[in-house]
Amino acid sequence: MRTDRGQERGAALLTVLLLVAIVGALAAATMEKLNLSTRQAANAKAMEQARGWSQAAAVMALIRIQSVRKDPKSTVSLAGGWSDRPFPLPIPDGVATARVHDGGNCFNLNSLVVRSGVDTYVVRSAGVTQFARLMRLIGVPNGDSIAAASADWIDTDNNPIAGGAEDAAYSGYRTANTLMADPSELRAVAGVTPQIYEKLRPYVCALPTTDPATVNVNTIEPERSALIAAMTPDTLGAEEVRRALLTRPETGWSQVSNFWSSGSLAAKVPGGAPGGTGVTTQWFALITDVTIGGATLRQTGLIDARTPQPALVARQWGEGA
């Protein structure tokens, strides 16, 4: 009888201990969920504040651009060190900075086509030729076919041009048949490997227009001289353009013809300044970084400066810097 009672007491004790363990585990789980919800709410609030301050930094960037050029036809150079110089925006409990640089010194992928109607695009042969030449200059293999496939990706018909690729060349997806919104779309084009995209990325952009980008000889980095060389016949190399850019005056050239008449360029391009280069800037790139309440947010944007009042026409958000 005593043994049975002892066993009953032992079983009761084990039951109590088991209940205590279960209640403790439930309490710990509840506290963890509560802490997680609290952190999520705090992060969401901080992110909302970061977005607001990022917008304010973008407004400051527009003001800075107005100080860099008086009107859309003003000569723009690197004088004053404005390009990519971070300027802070004082905010409580955080840090916000904005940077701007010339956003038009690139090959506009959307210039591979020309608009022929409402949401209708046809291939621009001159753009395909220039893109292929750019890839030859920077050592990208199969540039001719990649240029053709890129144009086919954007144009609205389903008839591949010579060396190009339309829907039949892709497995599981179709060509976009519209303008690219971001250069990263180039990665989906036939023939573009991750290695090729990484090599092309510093040279390409996707402006919201089919007009070719105008490269500003006063702001382009000499290391990207292939962009200018690609606008000329194959007799001109990127190294010759790079050497000419290294002679750039501190305040830039007042006219683009002054650049093309410098050094050996005059002999290589006897017809004068080709289209596609200038001394003005029509597009600016914007980068804002905001850190507040433990949250970090980066905004990249594109500013259209073709009109007297520059405007932010595209932006992307991304957490982290």
Side-chain angles (χ1 to χ4, degrees), residues 101-104 207-209 213 281-285 302-306 313:
H101 62 265
D102 196 312
L207 302 178
T209 176
T281 294
Q282 298 177 328
W283 302 90
F284 288 87
L302 182 66
I303 295 172
D304 186 350
R306 295 175 296 175
V313 295

Side-chain angles (χ1 to χ4, degrees), residues 179-197:
L179 300 183
M180 292 188 183
D182 188 84
S184 61
E185 293 182 44
L186 188 63
R187 294 180 294 184
V189 172
V192 179
T193 65
Q195 294 75 22
I196 287 177
Y197 177 73

Side-chain angles (χ1 to χ4, degrees), residues 24-81:
L26 290 173
T30 301
M31 289 300 299
E32 179 62 25
K33 288 183 178 180
L34 180 60
N35 290 334
L36 178 60
S37 298
T38 302
R39 290 195 299 269
Q40 288 176 335
N43 288 339
K45 181 179 179 180
M47 195 61 65
E48 183 179 354
Q49 290 177 324
R51 285 179 181 269
W53 288 117
S54 185
Q55 291 285 62
V59 173
M60 296 293 293
L62 293 174
I63 296 174
R64 166 161 287 199
I65 290 173
Q66 290 283 46
S67 67
V68 170
R69 46 71 122 184
K70 296 179 181 179
D71 60 70
K73 295 183 179 180
S74 295
T75 297
V76 176
S77 71
L78 298 177

Side-chain angles (χ1 to χ4, degrees), residues 247-283:
T247 68
R248 181 166 53 202
E250 184 176 349
T251 56
W253 288 285
S254 59
Q255 298 180 6
V256 70
S257 58
N258 296 339
F259 164 74
W260 286 106
S261 63
S262 62
S264 63
L265 298 188
K268 291 295 182 70
V269 191
T277 56
V279 293
T280 61
T281 294
Q282 298 177 328
W283 302 90

Side-chain angles (χ1 to χ4, degrees), residues 53-189:
W53 288 117
S54 185
Q55 291 285 62
V59 173
M60 296 293 293
L62 293 174
I63 296 174
R64 166 161 287 199
I65 290 173
Q66 290 283 46
S67 67
V68 170
R69 46 71 122 184
K70 296 179 181 179
D71 60 70
K73 295 183 179 180
S74 295
T75 297
V76 176
S77 71
L78 298 177
W82 60 271
S83 181
D84 265 334
R85 176 191 289 178
F87 58 96
L89 182 69
I91 63 175
D93 302 323
V95 178
T97 59
R99 293 179 286 138
V100 293
H101 62 265
D102 196 312
N105 291 334
C106 53
F107 177 82
N108 179 19
L109 293 169
N110 290 324
S111 69
L112 291 168
V113 299
V114 60
R115 187 187 297 272
S116 62
V118 179
D119 296 328
T120 305
Y121 305 95
V122 296
V123 173
R124 176 190 272 124
S125 298
V128 176
T129 300
Q130 182 179 336
F131 192 28
R133 186 182 293 133
L134 171 62
M135 284 185 274
R136 287 198 297 274
L137 288 167
I138 64 176
V140 171
N142 304 317
D144 289 344
S145 60
I146 291 175
S150 299
D152 277 334
W153 182 268
I154 302 172
D155 73 4
T156 47
D157 64 41
N158 199 32
N159 302 313
I161 62 175
E166 285 287 359
D167 292 349
Y170 299 92
S171 176
Y173 59 99
R174 305 171 62 184
T175 56
N177 294 333
T178 190
L179 300 183
M180 292 188 183
D182 188 84
S184 61
E185 293 182 44
L186 188 63
R187 294 180 294 184
V189 172

